[in-house]
Amino acid sequence: MSHPHPELGPPPPLSSDALRVVPLGGLGEIGRNMTVFEHRGKLLIVDCGVLFPEEEQPGVDLILPDFDYIRDRLDDVEALVLTHGHEDHIGAVPFLLRERPDIPLVGSRLTLALLSAKLGEHRIKPETVQVGEDDRRSFGPFDLEFLAVNHSIPDALAVAVRTEAGTLLHTGDFKMDQLPLDGRLTDLAGFARVGSEGVDLLLADSTNAEVPGFVTSERDISPVIDKVFHDADQRIIVACFASHVHRVQQVLDSAKAHGRKVAFVGRSMVRNMNIARDLGYLTVPEDLLVDVKQLDDLRPDEAVLVSTGSQGEPMSALTRMANRDHQIRIEEGDTILLASSLIPGNENSVNRVINGLTRWGATVVHKGNALVHVSGHAPAGELLYVHNMVRPRNFMPVHGEWRHMRAHARVAVMAGLDEDRVCLAEDGVVVDLHKGRARITGKVQAGYVYVDGTSVGDVTESALKDRRILGEEGFISVIVAVDSTSGKIVGEPEIHTRGAGIDVEAYDQVIPKIQESLEKAATDGITDPHQLRQLVRRGVGRWVNETYRRRPMIVPVIVEI
């Protein structure tokens, strides 16, 4: 089983009869999915998504793939294929199109509609190529065939990529629900047919590779949602992903059956559900929907709100409701339904929201106490089924954290693949397919690119470290005036502090130490402001650490007069 090595260097030049695979995101993490394929000097990109920040990335709005690897070769990009419309697969497209706006975007009807609405907000008019299952299209040296897959959003696709160097199959995110709400099954016959032709490299979704068995059907959720509606005697607020059309459909059906009206809350929820309804993916009974402003005209037992915020996002509608920072006020007896799974890393945020909602008297129904969500990803039993059908010559697990990818690698070996045919890579690790054999050949830069407000890439790991220190330890600024000629201190140092948890009067202990060290520096002929700042920083830092066992950010300011 090949695996990345920290000492991997740049990959060698690619021969004309080889196919190169470069994951720029989505390996070793849940999100930021982006893979670049290269053959005969041309590039094909599959997916271009975002990763949402965690607590140790304060102030960050989104995390993008690093485009540096392809930045100088954007003219070589034949197309960007989008497997489905989730943010972790399409969210970074606007940022890529800023660098080359005419990259052809290839995807299904719903995927392109959701993406076009997003791009409209960025004032980008894309060049799109709509495809469906069973379609075949060629882009440069890449011959693509699209296969239907079932997922937690309609219109998801897998893609088979045929080249002179070999054939690969990329599943995208998928599961094998045998009773899907929309009747659209994963095309197992298509997988088997492509497999019988010969798949040289399989790239498959690993998110649920640790979970045994087969996925629970979406249909099993409907009775649970219906029971929630039956038992609730006040308002019902449902939180789910703004793209989960199937879940929203189940909520609409239950609301209709129980004589309730539904209002969508949150810009992305309103936008996506309008698109889904207009395209026929969401069936809305007549007179069921109302504007959120009309809720005051309804009795509590007549109202249902469908909102974003199932992951505890700080600015989402549900989080603001929990914090009493939203026009909709949670009241005693309200029922909150969190109809989604937890993305790894969001547990603390979601628990805070649940506690906040419960504080105001709401009953919170979530995955931990009811079957209100099933995953959109294939568990180990289904993955084994796919491996046995496709029988790939080589395998590369994608879309998952390390534990998921390693579990998927074990599934591949159980299915009969030799360990040395499994390429266990991570973001930036290059895999070359040559003469039927896939091997790790090098590594390219594939770090995090942070979006903070309107800035893209300006926030560095060093800046995030400073933010964490400020958030956890506070800061101390020390202003010292010195004579520009002699370096001697003029007057008494001023100390200002925020969030350090130290009483102002306590600084009387350290001011003499600062004065003493600066006077000694002046005697030694040290007048360089940088050196003086370092003296102040070390002196104050040592005192704070020894006295309070704290490490706040210390900002010395030397004013020359």
Side-chain angles (χ1 to χ4, degrees), residues 473-487:
E473 304 284 356
F475 83 95
I476 298 170
S477 68
V478 185
I479 304 172
V480 183
V482 299
D483 185 282
S484 60
T485 305
S486 65

Side-chain angles (χ1 to χ4, degrees), residues 289-309:
L289 292 183
V290 297
D291 189 271
V292 69
K293 296 175 183 176
Q294 298 175 260
L295 291 175
D296 291 338
D297 300 331
L298 300 174
R299 297 195 317 268
D301 61 348
E302 295 177 324
V304 178
L305 291 78
V306 180
S307 165
T308 55

Side-chain angles (χ1 to χ4, degrees), residues 211-450:
V211 180
F214 289 73
V215 75
T216 303
S217 174
E218 289 279 351
R219 292 182 185 271
D220 293 347
I221 305 297
S222 296
V224 182
I225 293 177
D226 196 66
K227 184 177 187 304
V228 170
F229 274 70
H230 178 271
D231 294 345
D233 53 14
Q234 299 289 325
R235 285 183 307 181
I236 299 173
I237 300 173
V238 180
C240 66
F241 293 117
S243 57
H244 205 329
V245 178
H246 297 150
R247 189 70 70 248
V248 173
Q249 184 68 67
Q250 290 170 309
V251 171
L252 295 182
D253 292 343
S254 286
K256 178 67 175 178
H258 291 270
R260 290 178 179 257
K261 301 290 186 182
V262 177
F264 293 132
V265 181
R267 185 169 55 90
S268 59
M269 181 67 73
V270 172
R271 180 193 66 200
N272 288 359
M273 291 309 118
N274 282 338
I275 291 170
R277 179 179 57 182
D278 292 345
L279 295 180
Y281 294 96
L282 185 71
T283 302
V284 182
E286 190 176 354
D287 298 327
L288 182 71
L289 292 183
V290 297
D291 189 271
V292 69
K293 296 175 183 176
Q294 298 175 260
L295 291 175
D296 291 338
D297 300 331
L298 300 174
R299 297 195 317 268
D301 61 348
E302 295 177 324
V304 178
L305 291 78
V306 180
S307 165
T308 55
S310 61
Q311 299 302 306
E313 304 94 319
M315 295 307 295
S316 66
L318 192 68
T319 299
R320 291 168 57 204
M321 290 178 207
N323 295 334
R324 276 288 201 261
D325 184 30
H326 195 277
Q327 66 189 43
I328 296 168
R329 311 280 283 186
I330 300 298
E331 304 291 347
E332 185 81 30
D334 286 346
T335 297
I336 316 294
L337 175 59
L338 299 183
S340 65
S341 62
L342 268 177
I343 294 176
N346 292 346
E347 293 87 354
N348 290 339
S349 299
V350 172
N351 286 334
R352 276 197 297 271
V353 171
I354 291 174
N355 283 325
L357 296 167
T358 306
R359 177 187 180 191
W360 307 118
T363 298
V364 183
V365 182
H366 54 88
K367 191 181 179 183
N369 58 25
L371 181 62
V372 292
H373 180 76
V374 295
S375 176
H377 303 271
E382 296 181 0
L383 295 177
L384 185 59
Y385 199 96
V386 168
H387 280 271
N388 284 331
M389 273 193 305
V390 176
R391 290 291 176 189
R393 296 186 179 94
N394 302 273
F395 171 60
M396 180 176 173
V398 297
H399 300 180
E401 296 177 342
W402 269 106
R403 59 196 178 100
H404 306 131
M405 295 194 302
R406 285 198 177 275
H408 200 172
R410 290 192 293 271
V411 169
V413 172
M414 287 171 56
L417 195 63
D418 290 342
E419 285 193 5
D420 63 355
R421 294 276 184 165
V422 178
C423 293
L424 194 60
E426 62 183 337
D427 294 343
V429 170
V430 178
V431 174
D432 286 349
L433 177 65
H434 185 230
K435 296 182 178 178
R437 192 67 181 255
R439 290 185 176 89
I440 289 174
T441 58
K443 191 170 186 177
V444 302
Q445 179 178 319
Y448 283 179
V449 175
Y450 298 106

